[in-house]
Structures are given as structure tokens and as C-alpha cells.
Amino acid sequence: MSPTPAPVPFIDGLRDIESVRLAGSGHAWLDAARRENLEAFIAAGLPDTRAEAWKYTALRALGQRRFAHGDPGALTRSVAAKELALPGVDGPRLVFVNGVFRADLSRLETLPAGLVLQPLSQVLANDPEPLRFALSRHYRETSDAFARLNAALAGDGVVLRVPAGAHIGKPVQLCFVGTPAEGDLAWHLRNVIELGEGAELDLVEHHVSNIAHKHLGTVVADIVLHDGARLQHALLQNAAEESTLIRRSSLHLGAKAHAALHVLELGGALVRHDLHAELRGDEARLDTRGVFVLRGRQHIDTQLSIRHQALHTASESTWRGVADERAHGVFRGAIVVAQGADGSDASLSNKNLLLSGLAEIDTKPELEIYADEVKAAHGATIGQLDERALFYLRSRGLPYAEARALLTAAFCRSVFASLPNESLREHFSEALIAHLP
């Protein structure tokens, strides 16, 4: 007789979740999609390390936790607007606290002409049909377990649309705040972002916590750039140090579209970001720049997947990782140049620093080419600070800790040199230095 499987609190806590009424409930197509995704998630459970995409990120401890879903009390929880302010970012703002939209902290009074910026819950209440394609998606892969969970339980998020030809002058800020609550919460947000033909937008995504908590947050974003659109996307993740944050971003680029992404990952106990990009139109371009800095027992996992599908597309990815104490970083960068994507140019570099003998970083660059006349390169390194450089700085009077921090900051900061918002670039550098040991 086979042994009875051990109970999994995380999964058991979802079996009666249909009693939670989400925004948009009552629309048959949406309810059906949510139910099917939830059933698929419960049936498959959390992925384990036998799944290649989760080989270096174990979820056993998360599976033993039980979360409350939804937090109406977030509407009354104290958050100061000044905690959300970022230098060089003074445009429209949409704020969510523990997954709940906060109109009092948002800035939506004077939106630029043509810009649509609304919480998903309002769109679902008034006119959900335009979102039918995005929200009806079924995730088939075991590695997409949290995307299934998000598709089943997300009742809010961001709807952002820029009309064709519009140039939005001021950066748009999306702010996701975690605050303490009774027990551990799970909240789920779904973002739908679309830039029309020839549109331009600066987008700043900010994950922050004002007080320690142990919540689980999932964020799934679908970003579409039509022909000739341009997106500057800066992402600062500084969540509570004991929180869990799982994100999945899908990016689709049309002909001559250009997306530039700058990422700084600092916070969280367990953090995962799956970034999937498809360059679908001729001469589309994607630039990604990222840094993750870990300490204590932090675990941050970045999964980057870029697919070239059209002629003369280009991608350039530069990522840096730093791990100290007993932290664990994971980076996977996969580039596929599909058949017919002739003339593509793809490069990926991941360099990492270990500041402790107990720290670990696993890196896995991948490159597949099925087209002709392609220029492609990828590489990864893991090492320690140059002892000669440390000796030089110490011989000039710098204490060991300061010398180490100075070299580590220089190793990381070069990644943000291409961020055009100078004030935000300086803030990224300051946040990075503050997080270093």
C-alpha cells in the first residue's frame, strides 16, 4: 500500500478559495478561466527542483505555509505618500497596498492626453470585454505554476494604454507596497500594458515595504509594444526582507519597437522574476540591464528568456549579481534565434561576485540559433573581488569594509549608466550602496 501523501498547507488553503468574490465575478468567460487555472494549479501543485526551470529554487518551505487571500484592511492601513516618492519621478502614479488599490496615494487627477491608467478592478467592473484575450489565458507549463495562481486569483492590477503616436512626457509610476497584517497574506495583481504604434513611455515600477512582513505577492504583466513604440522601464525591488515576491513579465515587440529595461533587485527573502520577451517584428530591439544584491539568507532567481522571431532584430543583456553571507542567487539567460530571424544580433553577459565563502550564485547562459547570418555571444563569470585592488585602496588609507563596498558598488553601478533619468539613476546607486554590507 502506498503511503498517504503528506498534506500541503499551501495547496489545502486554496481548495475553498472560490468563496472569495473577485472583481469581475459574474462574467462567465472570466469565471471559467479563473476556475480552470485554479484547478490546474491545485492538481499540479508547486513545482519542485526536478523541473529544470526551478532546479535551483526550492519551494518546500513555502508549500508548508498557509496564507489568507485578499486584504480589504489595506484600505485603512497607514502609508505615507513620501515613502513612495522617487527623485525624477513626478508624473501619474498608481498605488496598491497589499494588492488593494489606494486612490488616496495615487496621482490620477491630470493624466496626459490619451493616456489610460486605471486599476484593473475598475475596468472589470465597467467594461471587461477588451481584456478578454489577456485574462482568458491558460498556462500549460509546470514552471508557470504561479502564473496559474495569479490568473485564478488576481482581482486587481494595472491597465495602462498609450495611444498611437502619443509621447508621455513624465514617467508613470506603478507602486506596490507591502504592510503588516494579521497573519500572512497572499495578494495577486495582473498588469496589462499596451503602447500604440509610435508611442513613447517612461515607466517606473517600484516594490517597497514600510514595515517588515511575511506576505506572498504575485505580479503577472503582459506588455505589448506595437510598431515603432519605445518603452523605458525602470524597476526597483526593495520588498520586506522576509517577504516572498513572484513576478512574470511577458513582453511582445512589433517592428522597429524598442524596449529598455533597468532592474535593481534588493529586497525579499524569496524573489523570482520570469521575463519572457518575443521580438516579433523586423528590426525590433530589446536592452536589459540588471543587478541583484543579496545578503543574509536571501534567495533571488532571475529567469530571462528572449526569442528573436523576425529579421534584423537585436537584443543586448548585461546583468550583475552580488551575494554575501549565506545568500543564494540564480540567473538563467536563454536566447533563441528562431528560423527566419536572419540578421539578428544577440548578446548576453552575466558577471557575479561572491563576498562570502558560504554565498552561492548559479548562472546558466543558453543560446540556440536556427537562422543564418546571425551575430550572437553569451558568457558568464563568478568570482571574488580583486585582492590587488583591495590592497591598493587599503594602502591609501581606506578601511577594509569601505574598500570592499567601493569596489562592489563600482562593479554594479556601470549597469545603470544607460538609464536616461539622471535623478533616478543616482537613487538606484544610493539604494544599491545602502544595501551593500
PDB file of all heavy atoms in Angstrom, residues 26 52 59 69 79 96 124 130 135 150 166 234 248 298 378 388:
ATOM      1  N   GLY A  26     -18.941  37.081 -12.162  1.00  0.00           N
ATOM      2  CA  GLY A  26     -20.245  37.171 -12.804  1.00  0.00           C
ATOM      3  C   GLY A  26     -20.155  37.161 -14.313  1.00  0.00           C
ATOM      4  O   GLY A  26     -21.146  36.889 -15.001  1.00  0.00           O
ATOM      5  N   GLU A  52      13.257  21.742 -14.572  1.00  0.00           N
ATOM      6  CA  GLU A  52      14.512  22.417 -14.932  1.00  0.00           C
ATOM      7  C   GLU A  52      14.478  23.903 -14.576  1.00  0.00           C
ATOM      8  O   GLU A  52      15.467  24.465 -14.105  1.00  0.00           O
ATOM      9  CB  GLU A  52      14.774  22.236 -16.429  1.00  0.00           C
ATOM     10  CG  GLU A  52      16.094  22.829 -16.897  1.00  0.00           C
ATOM     11  CD  GLU A  52      17.320  22.195 -16.267  1.00  0.00           C
ATOM     12  OE1 GLU A  52      17.239  21.007 -15.867  1.00  0.00           O
ATOM     13  OE2 GLU A  52      18.356  22.872 -16.163  1.00  0.00           O
ATOM     14  N   LEU A  59      10.921  25.161  -3.163  1.00  0.00           N
ATOM     15  CA  LEU A  59       9.694  25.772  -2.637  1.00  0.00           C
ATOM     16  C   LEU A  59       9.090  24.949  -1.498  1.00  0.00           C
ATOM     17  O   LEU A  59       7.930  25.152  -1.145  1.00  0.00           O
ATOM     18  CB  LEU A  59       8.663  25.932  -3.764  1.00  0.00           C
ATOM     19  CG  LEU A  59       9.103  26.824  -4.935  1.00  0.00           C
ATOM     20  CD1 LEU A  59       8.062  26.765  -6.049  1.00  0.00           C
ATOM     21  CD2 LEU A  59       9.299  28.261  -4.468  1.00  0.00           C
ATOM     22  N   HIS A  69      -6.108  35.136   1.708  1.00  0.00           N
ATOM     23  CA  HIS A  69      -6.122  35.769   0.383  1.00  0.00           C
ATOM     24  C   HIS A  69      -6.997  37.013   0.414  1.00  0.00           C
ATOM     25  O   HIS A  69      -8.147  36.980   0.838  1.00  0.00           O
ATOM     26  CB  HIS A  69      -6.634  34.782  -0.667  1.00  0.00           C
ATOM     27  CG  HIS A  69      -5.689  33.660  -0.920  1.00  0.00           C
ATOM     28  ND1 HIS A  69      -4.764  33.679  -1.929  1.00  0.00           N
ATOM     29  CD2 HIS A  69      -5.497  32.494  -0.245  1.00  0.00           C
ATOM     30  CE1 HIS A  69      -4.044  32.568  -1.896  1.00  0.00           C
ATOM     31  NE2 HIS A  69      -4.477  31.837  -0.886  1.00  0.00           N
ATOM     32  N   VAL A  79       0.033  54.411   5.239  1.00  0.00           N
ATOM     33  CA  VAL A  79       1.193  54.505   4.361  1.00  0.00           C
ATOM     34  C   VAL A  79       1.341  55.974   4.003  1.00  0.00           C
ATOM     35  O   VAL A  79       0.390  56.617   3.566  1.00  0.00           O
ATOM     36  CB  VAL A  79       1.026  53.663   3.076  1.00  0.00           C
ATOM     37  CG1 VAL A  79       2.234  53.848   2.168  1.00  0.00           C
ATOM     38  CG2 VAL A  79       0.839  52.190   3.409  1.00  0.00           C
ATOM     39  N   PHE A  96      -0.821  50.349  -5.034  1.00  0.00           N
ATOM     40  CA  PHE A  96      -1.528  49.221  -4.433  1.00  0.00           C
ATOM     41  C   PHE A  96      -0.845  48.874  -3.120  1.00  0.00           C
ATOM     42  O   PHE A  96       0.390  48.785  -3.053  1.00  0.00           O
ATOM     43  CB  PHE A  96      -1.508  48.003  -5.363  1.00  0.00           C
ATOM     44  CG  PHE A  96      -2.232  48.227  -6.658  1.00  0.00           C
ATOM     45  CD1 PHE A  96      -1.594  48.839  -7.719  1.00  0.00           C
ATOM     46  CD2 PHE A  96      -3.560  47.854  -6.802  1.00  0.00           C
ATOM     47  CE1 PHE A  96      -2.253  49.065  -8.917  1.00  0.00           C
ATOM     48  CE2 PHE A  96      -4.225  48.080  -7.997  1.00  0.00           C
ATOM     49  CZ  PHE A  96      -3.584  48.681  -9.055  1.00  0.00           C
ATOM     50  N   LEU A 124     -12.716  45.925 -14.950  1.00  0.00           N
ATOM     51  CA  LEU A 124     -13.525  44.711 -14.904  1.00  0.00           C
ATOM     52  C   LEU A 124     -14.968  45.017 -14.507  1.00  0.00           C
ATOM     53  O   LEU A 124     -15.899  44.365 -14.969  1.00  0.00           O
ATOM     54  CB  LEU A 124     -12.922  43.712 -13.912  1.00  0.00           C
ATOM     55  CG  LEU A 124     -11.599  43.065 -14.319  1.00  0.00           C
ATOM     56  CD1 LEU A 124     -11.088  42.159 -13.206  1.00  0.00           C
ATOM     57  CD2 LEU A 124     -11.765  42.271 -15.609  1.00  0.00           C
ATOM     58  N   PRO A 130     -12.702  44.157 -23.478  1.00  0.00           N
ATOM     59  CA  PRO A 130     -11.406  44.358 -24.145  1.00  0.00           C
ATOM     60  C   PRO A 130     -10.254  43.580 -23.516  1.00  0.00           C
ATOM     61  O   PRO A 130      -9.214  43.402 -24.163  1.00  0.00           O
ATOM     62  CB  PRO A 130     -11.184  45.872 -24.023  1.00  0.00           C
ATOM     63  CG  PRO A 130     -12.547  46.446 -23.895  1.00  0.00           C
ATOM     64  CD  PRO A 130     -13.314  45.449 -23.090  1.00  0.00           C
ATOM     65  N   LEU A 135      -6.929  38.000 -20.217  1.00  0.00           N
ATOM     66  CA  LEU A 135      -7.295  37.362 -18.957  1.00  0.00           C
ATOM     67  C   LEU A 135      -7.831  35.946 -19.131  1.00  0.00           C
ATOM     68  O   LEU A 135      -8.083  35.263 -18.137  1.00  0.00           O
ATOM     69  CB  LEU A 135      -8.326  38.213 -18.221  1.00  0.00           C
ATOM     70  CG  LEU A 135      -7.895  39.635 -17.858  1.00  0.00           C
ATOM     71  CD1 LEU A 135      -8.957  40.312 -17.000  1.00  0.00           C
ATOM     72  CD2 LEU A 135      -6.551  39.645 -17.144  1.00  0.00           C
ATOM     73  N   ASN A 150      -1.962  33.275 -10.194  1.00  0.00           N
ATOM     74  CA  ASN A 150      -2.307  34.673 -10.415  1.00  0.00           C
ATOM     75  C   ASN A 150      -3.527  34.802 -11.316  1.00  0.00           C
ATOM     76  O   ASN A 150      -4.439  35.598 -11.048  1.00  0.00           O
ATOM     77  CB  ASN A 150      -1.111  35.400 -11.018  1.00  0.00           C
ATOM     78  CG  ASN A 150      -1.342  36.869 -11.218  1.00  0.00           C
ATOM     79  OD1 ASN A 150      -2.004  37.286 -12.168  1.00  0.00           O
ATOM     80  ND2 ASN A 150      -0.800  37.686 -10.325  1.00  0.00           N
ATOM     81  N   ALA A 166       1.425  58.931 -29.290  1.00  0.00           N
ATOM     82  CA  ALA A 166       1.499  59.764 -28.085  1.00  0.00           C
ATOM     83  C   ALA A 166       2.860  59.617 -27.414  1.00  0.00           C
ATOM     84  O   ALA A 166       3.390  58.512 -27.286  1.00  0.00           O
ATOM     85  CB  ALA A 166       0.390  59.389 -27.107  1.00  0.00           C
ATOM     86  N   ALA A 234      12.082  51.203 -15.767  1.00  0.00           N
ATOM     87  CA  ALA A 234      12.994  51.076 -14.626  1.00  0.00           C
ATOM     88  C   ALA A 234      12.269  50.364 -13.495  1.00  0.00           C
ATOM     89  O   ALA A 234      11.128  50.712 -13.168  1.00  0.00           O
ATOM     90  CB  ALA A 234      13.461  52.453 -14.161  1.00  0.00           C
ATOM     91  N   ARG A 248       6.055  37.529 -13.146  1.00  0.00           N
ATOM     92  CA  ARG A 248       6.201  37.011 -14.506  1.00  0.00           C
ATOM     93  C   ARG A 248       5.842  38.119 -15.476  1.00  0.00           C
ATOM     94  O   ARG A 248       4.742  38.670 -15.410  1.00  0.00           O
ATOM     95  CB  ARG A 248       5.301  35.806 -14.747  1.00  0.00           C
ATOM     96  CG  ARG A 248       5.570  35.104 -16.091  1.00  0.00           C
ATOM     97  CD  ARG A 248       4.537  34.030 -16.341  1.00  0.00           C
ATOM     98  NE  ARG A 248       4.948  33.096 -17.374  1.00  0.00           N
ATOM     99  CZ  ARG A 248       4.853  33.302 -18.676  1.00  0.00           C
ATOM    100  NH1 ARG A 248       4.359  34.462 -19.116  1.00  0.00           N
ATOM    101  NH2 ARG A 248       5.233  32.391 -19.552  1.00  0.00           N
ATOM    102  N   GLN A 298      18.966  35.588   1.815  1.00  0.00           N
ATOM    103  CA  GLN A 298      18.115  35.928   0.675  1.00  0.00           C
ATOM    104  C   GLN A 298      18.309  34.947  -0.484  1.00  0.00           C
ATOM    105  O   GLN A 298      19.394  34.409  -0.696  1.00  0.00           O
ATOM    106  CB  GLN A 298      18.446  37.332   0.162  1.00  0.00           C
ATOM    107  CG  GLN A 298      17.872  38.471   0.967  1.00  0.00           C
ATOM    108  CD  GLN A 298      18.164  39.797   0.285  1.00  0.00           C
ATOM    109  OE1 GLN A 298      19.279  40.297   0.367  1.00  0.00           O
ATOM    110  NE2 GLN A 298      17.165  40.356  -0.393  1.00  0.00           N
ATOM    111  N   HIS A 378      27.425  35.009 -25.764  1.00  0.00           N
ATOM    112  CA  HIS A 378      26.934  34.950 -24.391  1.00  0.00           C
ATOM    113  C   HIS A 378      28.057  34.459 -23.494  1.00  0.00           C
ATOM    114  O   HIS A 378      28.972  33.746 -23.934  1.00  0.00           O
ATOM    115  CB  HIS A 378      25.703  34.039 -24.270  1.00  0.00           C
ATOM    116  CG  HIS A 378      25.993  32.581 -24.454  1.00  0.00           C
ATOM    117  ND1 HIS A 378      26.520  32.062 -25.605  1.00  0.00           N
ATOM    118  CD2 HIS A 378      25.843  31.526 -23.606  1.00  0.00           C
ATOM    119  CE1 HIS A 378      26.662  30.754 -25.486  1.00  0.00           C
ATOM    120  NE2 HIS A 378      26.271  30.400 -24.290  1.00  0.00           N
ATOM    121  N   ARG A 388      44.324  42.565  -5.309  1.00  0.00           N
ATOM    122  CA  ARG A 388      45.277  43.651  -5.580  1.00  0.00           C
ATOM    123  C   ARG A 388      44.588  45.005  -5.508  1.00  0.00           C
ATOM    124  O   ARG A 388      45.143  45.974  -4.992  1.00  0.00           O
ATOM    125  CB  ARG A 388      45.907  43.441  -6.950  1.00  0.00           C
ATOM    126  CG  ARG A 388      46.854  42.249  -7.018  1.00  0.00           C
ATOM    127  CD  ARG A 388      47.302  41.985  -8.436  1.00  0.00           C
ATOM    128  NE  ARG A 388      46.164  41.653  -9.299  1.00  0.00           N
ATOM    129  CZ  ARG A 388      46.260  41.418 -10.591  1.00  0.00           C
ATOM    130  NH1 ARG A 388      47.447  41.509 -11.199  1.00  0.00           N
ATOM    131  NH2 ARG A 388      45.186  41.115 -11.303  1.00  0.00           N
TER     132      ARG A 388
END
